[in-house]
Amino acid sequence: MLAVRLHKDSHNLHLEETPIPTPSNQEVLGKVASAGLAPGVFTILKQGLLRHLPTTLGHEVASTTSAVGDNVGGFQVGERVRMHANPACWQGITDNKGDSELNV
């Protein structure tokens, strides 16, 4: 997949090919149609607060589900979803009906 990534000791964006992740039994994989990028991420990077580098950037993602884990209910391949960038449980997404932070 094509991704915008940040690397350690760099303040430049890198557009690169990365492997498509394989979702676990408790995850949903989405094919991204669009994603936001807030300028605040560069402030966080300059302050040294991004600890997991390299990292793929983008939040408030609009996507279509491309794989659904066996233990995930309520989602089917091909559904349009919006993924939440900062869910409280770190396992949440928002569905196309407007429900927020659904746990998968």
Side-chain angles (χ1 to χ4, degrees), residues 23-29 68-73 91 103-104:
S24 74
N25 286 336
Q26 299 174 352
E27 295 178 319
V28 174
L29 180 65
V68 178
D70 293 337
N71 296 333
V72 177
Q91 295 178 333
N103 293 324
V104 293

Side-chain angles (χ1 to χ4, degrees), residues 12 19 22 53 72:
N12 297 319
T22 302
L53 295 173
V72 177

Side-chain angles (χ1 to χ4, degrees), residues 4-24:
V4 174
R5 296 180 53 86
L6 280 174
H7 293 269
K8 187 175 182 177
D9 300 325
S10 175
H11 295 272
N12 297 319
L13 297 176
H14 300 270
L15 187 61
E16 55 192 57
E17 282 288 334
T18 61
I20 296 173
T22 302
S24 74

Side-chain angles (χ1 to χ4, degrees), residues 40-80:
V41 74
F42 297 103
T43 301
I44 293 169
L45 177 67
K46 287 178 185 177
Q47 293 173 346
L49 299 175
L50 282 176
R51 291 177 268 158
H52 304 286
L53 295 173
T55 189
T56 300
L57 297 177
H59 64 283
E60 297 182 12
V61 177
S63 67
T64 303
T65 55
S66 57
V68 178
D70 293 337
N71 296 333
V72 177
F75 293 93
Q76 298 175 21
V77 171
E79 281 189 294
R80 291 172 42 187

